[in-house]
Amino acid sequence: QQSGPSGFPPDVVFSRYCSPCDIRELFCTALGLPRNTNLSLLDSTGAMVSIDPTMPHNTERYLAPGLTLWFVADKEELFQNVLTQVAEQFSRAFKINELKTEVTNRLAMLEKRVELEGMKVVEIEKCRNDIKKLREEMASRNNSSFLEDNKKLTPHRDVPSYPKYHLSKETVEALRLPTFDAWQWEPNEMLSCLEHMYHDLGLVKDFNMNPITLKRWLLCIHDNYRNNPFHNFRHCFCVTQMMYSMICLCNLQEKLPQVDILILMTAAVCHDLDHPGYNNTYQINARTELAVRYNDLSPLENHHCAVAFQIFSQPDCNIFSKFDPEAFKQIRQGTITLILATDMARHGEILDSFKQKVDGFDYADEEHVTCLKMVLIKCCDISNEVRPMEVAEPWVDCLLEEYFMQSDREKSEGLPVAPFMDREKVTKPTAQIGFIKFVLIPMFETVMKLFPQIEEAMVQPLRESRDRYEELKQIDDAMNEVQSTTGTQPLNQAPFLQFNFTPI
């Protein structure tokens, strides 16, 4: 750290041995953001800048999500710039000015009617109904901002701004393992890793994909994941990387046709597109546009599918452009089936169906293969605890932040709140033990019957994670017992339960 020019904050000089994770966390701290925030830097041309010791000097303007940064500006100017940018983006996103004007005018009209008509009982009731309708309309607007901006369906930057990373031999090998640490990689690097997976599996060559179209499609995928604490592009990457590692570990290319490998990978990439950060239970209870549109049947998963194929409808992003209509129909149906399978409300149904087939599994039976693919994407979607503790642990904070965001909103709107999402009720070890014991281990052990090689790489880490949380629970129980005898309030423990489920 060096002293900057007079009136400016000090310069920060990074060692070339400093990790990208350390630099990103420093930026998050400077911005007052949680340490696991998905932070991206853009230069003045809109190109993403990789956050690492080789990044250019900050002589240009860098853009972080929702914020404009001048690292050489004084603190007051920086603060004002941040406030201005945030205000502008909120105004654009929620149309605050237009809504404020409309609300003001309509309320003024209602007040005048009440005054002119002498507060008659009938008119008062009518006015109450009008005000109720106005409130419902405002709530509806707040929940219906799905893909209003059609520009999201094309990348906000073209391929030349998407730098080519040359993945090292160590990275290429690590990508094939469930232990891969996605926290060490920036968005552009993750895009390059996804691109490598498609090439490495032979999908680009076998299906005659245009490599530039593949790049554009991946850029568009990135742009259509929201910056949620958990359901974001990094989660998309982790699920796809776990699918890639399962394909390699289980030698699936020797057992399944290439078109099924393509469906598995593409469904993983697209499985949470435009996720709003509020689950299906909220959508249904709040009667959002999505719940109404899809009749309360897997509204989010149906939406993810719809966005995925809206993107494919753009010629510049259609990696399936060389497929004939029948082949595309097969890809489309297969992808939709897998994405819909990620709705945890269907967990018991899908796992039971697979259990009935696994002992006499037949790769020539289309129904058997479809059921296997559904279970594989489910495994990948909730696979965080398969990874090493230091990789899995940060996802705990991310998921909790999203859960608490939803439960706080449900409380404010008078909607039911799931106990495992309520910050006032949950305990982390108990919730996590239940999830691992009743959901993860039974599912992965069933898959292990077909692929014994996953026991060491996936099932054993789950058992170790379960044991670790059981030890934490014993410690918590002991602390709570001591606190109860001394009359002090027990400390609330943060939970980690990835999905609502009913143990069978």
Side-chain angles (χ1 to χ4, degrees):
Q1 193 171 31
Q2 301 175 347
S3 297
S6 178
F8 293 93
D11 296 335
V12 176
V13 180
F14 299 110
S15 162
R16 63 191 180 95
Y17 301 107
C18 188
S19 75
C21 187
D22 292 337
I23 299 174
R24 184 174 63 250
E25 288 193 5
L26 182 58
F27 283 172
C28 290
T29 302
L31 294 168
L33 300 172
R35 65 185 178 88
N36 292 321
T37 299
N38 287 317
L39 184 65
S40 301
L41 296 186
L42 308 181
D43 64 20
S44 56
T45 67
M48 296 183 76
V49 177
S50 179
I51 301 179
D52 58 39
T54 65
M55 62 189 291
H57 292 282
N58 57 343
T59 53
E60 298 185 58
R61 198 179 208 189
Y62 289 143
L63 302 177
L67 301 170
T68 300
L69 303 182
W70 285 88
F71 288 109
V72 297
D74 63 36
K75 292 181 181 178
E76 184 63 28
E77 182 182 351
L78 173 62
F79 185 68
Q80 291 301 325
N81 283 339
V82 169
L83 287 182
T84 301
Q85 290 291 321
V86 170
E88 287 177 358
Q89 293 213 9
F90 266 94
S91 180
R92 284 197 299 271
F94 299 105
K95 300 182 179 178
I96 288 174
N97 293 333
E98 294 92 329
L99 187 58
K100 185 189 295 183
T101 302
E102 182 180 347
V103 170
T104 302
N105 291 341
R106 290 179 68 173
L107 287 178
M109 180 183 70
L110 291 173
E111 289 172 355
K112 191 166 184 178
R113 266 176 55 189
V114 172
E115 183 181 344
L116 290 175
E117 297 182 14
M119 297 293 288
K120 296 177 184 177
V121 174
V122 175
E123 292 301 326
I124 291 174
E125 191 61 33
K126 194 172 187 309
C127 286
R128 281 178 179 164
N129 289 335
D130 286 345
I131 291 173
K132 182 181 178 183
K133 287 180 182 177
L134 177 58
R135 284 176 177 162
E136 289 174 350
E137 183 180 338
M138 292 171 64
S140 173
R141 289 190 183 194
N142 192 35
N143 290 322
S144 64
S145 58
F146 294 97
L147 279 183
E148 284 183 352
D149 182 6
N150 288 328
K151 292 180 181 178
K152 289 180 70 178
L153 294 177
T154 56
H156 73 258
R157 57 197 186 283
D158 204 357
V159 170
S161 298
Y162 171 5
K164 174 66 177 175
Y165 288 92
H166 297 284
L167 303 181
S168 67
K169 181 181 177 182
E170 292 76 16
T171 298
V172 168
E173 292 174 354
L175 266 177
R176 290 171 165 258
L177 304 175
T179 53
F180 189 81
D181 185 359
W183 293 109
Q184 302 299 323
W185 303 85
E186 299 305 318
N188 267 0
E189 295 168 325
M190 289 188 282
L191 287 168
S192 288
C193 288
L194 290 173
E195 184 184 352
H196 166 79
M197 294 174 201
Y198 270 73
H199 282 279
D200 185 54
L201 292 171
L203 302 176
V204 177
K205 180 181 178 182
D206 291 350
F207 296 109
N208 196 22
M209 290 182 192
N210 184 328
I212 300 300
T213 303
L214 175 64
K215 285 176 176 284
R216 287 203 187 95
W217 173 65
L218 289 172
L219 279 171
C220 200
I221 290 293
H222 169 269
D223 294 345
N224 280 279
Y225 272 91
R226 301 195 191 189
N227 195 31
N228 298 315
F230 184 90
H231 290 99
N232 50 43
F233 177 69
R234 195 177 299 276
H235 168 67
C236 151
F237 174 81
C238 286
V239 173
T240 309
Q241 187 272 325
M242 186 63 74
M243 180 66 78
Y244 175 66
S245 69
M246 290 195 82
I247 290 170
C248 297
L249 187 62
C250 301
N251 300 314
L252 289 181
Q253 287 187 294
E254 298 177 6
K255 300 175 174 65
L256 300 176
Q258 275 291 79
V259 69
D260 282 335
I261 303 298
L262 177 62
I263 289 171
L264 283 168
M265 290 293 292
T266 304
V269 170
C270 299
H271 84 283
D272 270 334
L273 276 167
D274 199 42
H275 195 297
Y278 300 92
N279 69 12
N280 279 332
T281 301
Y282 175 82
Q283 304 297 325
I284 293 167
N285 289 339
R287 301 176 185 175
T288 65
E289 179 194 351
L290 285 186
V292 172
R293 182 186 302 167
Y294 296 111
N295 303 310
D296 295 350
L297 300 174
S298 303
L300 287 180
E301 290 72 25
N302 273 292
H303 179 63
H304 306 324
C305 293
V307 176
F309 284 93
Q310 280 179 300
I311 292 173
F312 286 129
S313 71
Q314 307 297 311
D316 287 347
C317 298
N318 186 10
I319 58 174
F320 304 137
S321 62
K322 302 294 175 64
F323 284 70
D324 62 56
E326 275 304 309
F328 176 77
K329 184 178 179 181
Q330 180 187 0
I331 295 282
R332 173 173 162 79
Q333 187 54 59
T335 303
I336 290 172
T337 297
L338 296 200
I339 294 177
L340 292 180
T342 61
D343 183 354
M344 283 299 289
R346 300 180 58 200
H347 176 79
E349 161 212 335
I350 294 171
L351 187 57
D352 285 346
S353 177
F354 184 65
K355 285 179 177 178
Q356 293 170 12
K357 299 174 176 61
V358 69
D359 289 332
F361 194 86
D362 182 4
Y363 285 99
D365 188 319
E366 184 178 345
E367 186 180 342
H368 282 215
V369 171
T370 297
C371 191
L372 169 62
K373 290 187 293 183
M374 292 166 74
V375 170
L376 287 175
I377 195 168
K378 283 173 57 58
C379 286
C380 296
D381 190 25
I382 56 176
S383 60
N384 282 332
E385 287 300 316
V386 169
R387 301 183 188 275
M389 182 186 69
E390 62 273 15
V391 179
E393 193 70 23
W395 286 112
V396 178
D397 299 328
C398 297
L399 189 65
L400 292 181
E401 186 180 345
E402 196 164 297
Y403 275 176
F404 293 158
M405 183 173 68
Q406 174 171 321
S407 62
D408 291 346
R409 181 169 181 170
E410 287 169 331
K411 291 175 184 177
S412 71
E413 294 178 0
L415 298 174
V417 178
F420 72 92
M421 284 187 168
D422 192 338
R423 66 175 81 236
E424 305 296 333
K425 297 179 181 179
V426 291
T427 60
K428 176 178 178 179
T430 303
Q432 185 66 341
I433 291 167
F435 183 70
I436 296 173
K437 287 176 69 173
F438 295 112
V439 177
L440 288 176
I441 291 179
M443 182 165 63
F444 276 86
E445 284 184 340
T446 305
V447 175
M448 188 178 72
K449 291 182 179 180
L450 201 58
F451 306 110
Q453 57 267 48
I454 75 167
E455 180 171 15
E456 181 181 352
M458 297 181 173
V459 178
Q460 190 56 35
L462 287 175
R463 293 167 179 160
E464 292 170 0
S465 180
R466 174 201 59 198
D467 295 343
R468 183 170 64 89
Y469 278 106
E470 285 180 337
E471 290 176 6
L472 287 174
K473 183 178 183 301
Q474 291 176 359
I475 295 171
D476 285 349
D477 289 346
M479 290 179 62
N480 288 336
E481 186 176 346
V482 170
Q483 289 165 345
S484 64
T485 58
T486 59
T488 58
Q489 291 292 325
L491 296 174
N492 285 333
Q493 300 294 322
F496 177 44
L497 182 61
Q498 286 191 305
F499 292 91
N500 191 6
F501 69 99
T502 302
I504 299 172

